């Protein structure tokens, strides 16, 4: 899979790729003029029509379905459009989903033993995930992962699969640290670095410093981790086998969520600095209390962590000098005096950052969501970016970090060379 394919938006999850998808739906009605049947599915606890079908039914099956609809027609149905409450479940195949509707739907079978409430969008996503022969196995699909929102395990794994085209490129070929909430959120959690002994054979690992890390390079692994209640996905700045960073990330850490505006101010000032230097940068909410700014360096960058420290330290100290009442580089929390901490030391070998699109273990099911720069303004709130809202954002457009891995930021090495020369000259 190339980078451009990986950066596709969630809207193409069920794209027309010359294959037929399958799923369970319920009947919502019948159109008498062309003898077609209206199918529906549950999405976010709402009943959502997905279009009419007529192909694939034998005459006897068609008559049986018409009789069942006629016997249970809803009051007020007109002679052409007969409507019924959900109850009759069927399996359909289709070639794509466009604008919320099935493309070329075809009847496969009645599913009389299926409760219509089990015909969900999340199940449709999981059952059709491109996960190879293993598929995605979900144990206890109705278990609540986020109790306050609420989001079930089925809904959570569906989220991971829907964002996989834009999340996996950031996980690819990087060792993974997870935070697992085995009993849901809120609840106890633990960090997982070592791959558990019971992991299936398809889980790839790599040993680094005696730790057997999981490498999440594919949908199957992502789905398995979700089923293990791995909620947060933390990654280093370099890929496996490399000792040079793939990116620079600034972590803008305000004292509390209530002071998120300080992170917005810092991000805007950083953007001005970066644009002045000709540096391309990408903001994202951390999903916690702050913001993070990503600067891609490209796969062939020769910059070391020591080199990038020159750049990150310069930017951080520049902001502190300009706004000493708002920002600080003081590492001890007790000495920060309510200021935003510009954490340039965090960008180092062995350190990690939250992966774009990773959920967070917050009561609101917030997400480390990429932003467009014009969204970074006063009034922005990290609480607005949750599992449901991020899916809605992606369904309407591309990822704000689209093209990230094609950027090389050739200006950064030149800036670092200039800064090094100034440091030598000042000694």
């Amino acid at each position: 899979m190339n980078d451009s394919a990986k950066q596709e938006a969630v809207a193409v999850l069920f794209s027309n790729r010359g294959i037929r998808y399958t799923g369970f739906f319920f009947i919502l009605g019948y159109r008498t003029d062309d003898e077609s049947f209206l199918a529906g599915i549950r999405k976010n606890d709402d009943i959502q029509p997905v279009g009419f079908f007529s192909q694939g039914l034998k005459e006897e099956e068609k008559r049986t379905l018409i009789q069942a609809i006629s016997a249970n027609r809803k009051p007020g149905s007109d002679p052409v459009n007969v409507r019924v409450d959900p109850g009759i479940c069927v399996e359909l195949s289709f070639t794509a989903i466009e604008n919320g509707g099935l493309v070329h739907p075809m009847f496969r079978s009645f599913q009389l033993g299926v409760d219509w409430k089990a015909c969900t969008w999340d199940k449709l996503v999981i059952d059709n995930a491109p996960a190879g022969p293993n598929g995605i196995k979900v144990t206890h699909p109705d278990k609540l992962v986020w109790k306050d929102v609420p989001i079930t395990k089925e809904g959570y794994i569906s989220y991971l699969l829907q964002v996989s085209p834009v999340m996996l490129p950031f996980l690819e070929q990087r060792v993974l640290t997870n935070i697992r909430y085995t009993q849901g959120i809120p609840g106890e959690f633990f960090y997982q670095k070592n791959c558990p002994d019971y992991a299936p054979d398809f889980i790839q690992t790599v040993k680094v410093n005696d730790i057997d890390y999981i490498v999440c390079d594919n949908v199957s692994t992502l789905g398995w981790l979700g089923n293990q209640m791995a909620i947060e996905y933390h990654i280093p700045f370099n890929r496996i086998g490399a000792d040079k960073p793939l990116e620079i990330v600034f972590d803008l850490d305000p004292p509390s969520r209530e002071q998120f505006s300080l992170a917005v101010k810092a991000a805007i000032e950083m953007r001005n600095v970066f644009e002045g230097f000709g540096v391309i940068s990408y903001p994202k909410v951390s999903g916690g209390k702050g913001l993070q700014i990503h600067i891609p360096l490209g796969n062939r960058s020769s910059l070391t962590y020591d080199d990038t420290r020159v750049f990150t330290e310069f930017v951080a100290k520049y902001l502190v000098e300009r706004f000493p009442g708002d920002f600080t580089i003081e590492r001890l929390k007790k000495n920060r005096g309510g200021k935003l901490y510009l954490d340039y030391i965090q960008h180092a070998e062995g350190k990690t950052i939250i992966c774009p699109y990773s959920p967070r273990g917050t009561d609101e099911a917030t997400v480390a969501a990429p932003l467009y720069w014009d969204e970074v303004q006063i009034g922005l709130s990290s609480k607005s970016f949750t599992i449901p809202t991020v899916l809605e954002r992606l369904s309407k457009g591309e990822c704000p970090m689209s093209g990230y891995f094609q950027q090389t930021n050739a200006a950064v090495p030149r800036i670092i060379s200039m800064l090094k020369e100034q440091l030598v000259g000042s000694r």
Side-chain angles (χ1 to χ4, degrees):
M1 190 184 298
N2 59 36
D3 283 336
S4 62
K6 290 174 183 172
Q7 292 288 357
E8 290 177 334
V10 171
V12 300
L13 180 66
F14 290 103
S15 60
N16 197 335
R17 299 181 297 189
I19 62 175
R20 292 196 73 87
Y21 306 96
T22 61
F24 291 172
F25 303 86
F26 42 76
I27 300 298
L28 289 175
Y30 170 62
R31 199 158 56 194
T32 58
D33 55 355
D34 62 2
E35 295 190 324
S36 62
F37 301 91
L38 179 61
I41 198 167
R42 281 182 64 214
K43 188 173 185 181
N44 300 327
D45 288 330
D46 291 328
I47 295 173
Q48 178 174 307
V50 293
F52 289 86
F53 70 94
S54 59
Q55 299 296 312
L57 283 159
K58 298 175 182 178
E59 282 302 317
E60 182 179 351
E61 292 170 328
K62 183 187 292 186
R63 287 196 301 271
T64 299
L65 191 50
I66 292 173
Q67 289 172 0
I69 292 172
S70 299
N72 294 280
R73 64 188 297 154
K74 294 177 70 172
S77 296
D78 64 59
V80 176
N81 293 291
V82 182
R83 294 291 183 263
V84 292
D85 289 323
I88 304 170
C89 296
V90 296
E91 183 181 22
L92 303 178
S93 67
F94 56 97
T95 59
I97 294 179
E98 294 179 359
N99 300 318
L102 305 182
V103 178
H104 304 305
M106 183 175 292
F107 175 85
R108 293 191 62 178
S109 64
F110 287 110
Q111 295 293 320
L112 302 180
V114 175
D115 185 332
W116 71 269
K117 293 180 180 179
C119 301
T120 66
W121 168 260
D122 294 327
K123 177 175 172 55
L124 185 69
V125 168
I126 293 169
D127 288 348
N128 287 278
N134 301 297
I136 303 295
K137 295 178 176 60
V138 183
T139 56
H140 310 293
D142 296 329
K143 179 176 182 176
L144 282 177
V145 181
W146 280 270
K147 298 177 176 64
D148 293 349
V149 179
I151 296 173
T152 64
K153 187 192 277 193
E154 182 181 75
Y156 169 49
I157 294 174
S158 172
Y159 166 80
L160 291 176
L161 299 179
Q162 289 178 81
V163 301
S164 63
V166 288
M167 184 177 177
L168 282 175
F170 292 93
L171 295 170
E172 186 179 63
Q173 285 301 296
R174 304 200 209 193
V175 298
L176 180 63
T177 299
N178 286 118
I179 301 181
R180 291 177 57 186
Y181 289 75
T182 55
Q183 299 305 313
I185 300 163
E188 295 183 357
F189 62 88
F190 64 92
Y191 287 80
Q192 178 177 285
K193 293 186 177 184
N194 267 304
C195 180
D197 294 338
Y198 57 80
D201 292 341
F202 66 82
I203 300 297
Q204 300 177 39
T205 62
V206 63
K207 191 173 287 292
V208 179
N209 297 329
D210 294 326
I211 296 175
D212 201 22
Y213 285 97
I214 290 174
V215 183
C216 186
D217 277 1
N218 53 62
V219 168
S220 297
T221 303
L222 191 60
W224 180 81
L225 286 166
N227 194 50
Q228 297 296 306
M229 302 284 276
I231 303 301
E232 296 193 9
Y233 296 73
H234 295 257
I235 52 175
F237 304 102
N238 54 276
R239 287 188 168 152
I240 296 167
D243 59 359
K244 295 180 175 62
L246 187 67
E247 59 192 343
I248 294 172
V249 183
F250 287 88
D251 191 13
L252 312 181
D253 185 21
S256 67
R257 275 187 168 187
E258 288 67 34
Q259 292 162 287
F260 185 75
S261 60
L262 282 175
V264 172
K265 180 176 180 178
I268 292 171
E269 294 300 329
M270 279 190 174
R271 182 191 187 188
N272 293 335
V273 172
F274 298 151
E275 288 186 344
F277 283 138
V279 173
I280 305 299
S281 59
Y282 298 80
K284 83 174 194 285
V285 290
S286 69
K289 59 183 180 179
L291 284 165
Q292 292 159 350
I293 313 299
H294 289 245
I295 298 174
L297 299 176
N299 291 320
R300 299 183 180 179
S301 172
S302 61
L303 294 174
T304 66
Y305 280 101
D306 286 340
D307 292 331
T308 58
R309 172 69 65 87
V310 174
F311 180 71
T312 57
E313 185 174 2
F314 164 77
V315 173
K317 288 184 175 179
Y318 170 77
L319 261 65
V320 170
E321 288 174 4
R322 285 203 63 202
F323 303 97
D326 293 324
F327 310 137
T328 182
I329 55 175
E330 170 60 54
R331 296 197 68 188
L332 293 177
K333 289 185 179 181
K334 64 179 183 179
N335 296 334
R336 292 178 190 170
K339 301 174 186 178
L340 177 138
Y341 177 46
L342 296 169
D343 189 356
Y344 70 88
I345 296 175
Q346 177 68 15
H347 185 265
E349 189 171 10
K351 301 293 187 179
T352 63
I353 199 77
I354 190 71
C355 179
Y357 293 104
S358 171
R360 303 304 300 262
T362 61
D363 292 346
E364 304 90 350
T366 53
V367 170
L371 304 171
Y372 293 103
W373 267 117
D374 61 9
E375 296 179 291
V376 182
Q377 53 186 292
I378 299 301
L380 177 69
S381 171
S382 62
K383 292 183 180 180
S384 301
F385 300 89
T386 63
I387 283 177
T389 61
V390 165
L391 286 177
E392 182 68 17
R393 278 168 63 85
L394 282 171
S395 72
K396 295 178 179 178
E398 66 180 7
C399 168
M401 295 181 85
S402 178
Y404 185 85
F405 294 100
Q406 286 75 50
Q407 292 289 348
T408 59
N409 268 316
V412 174
R414 294 197 297 268
I415 297 165
I416 291 173
S417 294
M418 179 188 68
L419 292 172
K420 284 182 175 180
E421 289 174 4
Q422 290 179 354
L423 286 172
V424 172
S426 65
R427 291 171 182 168

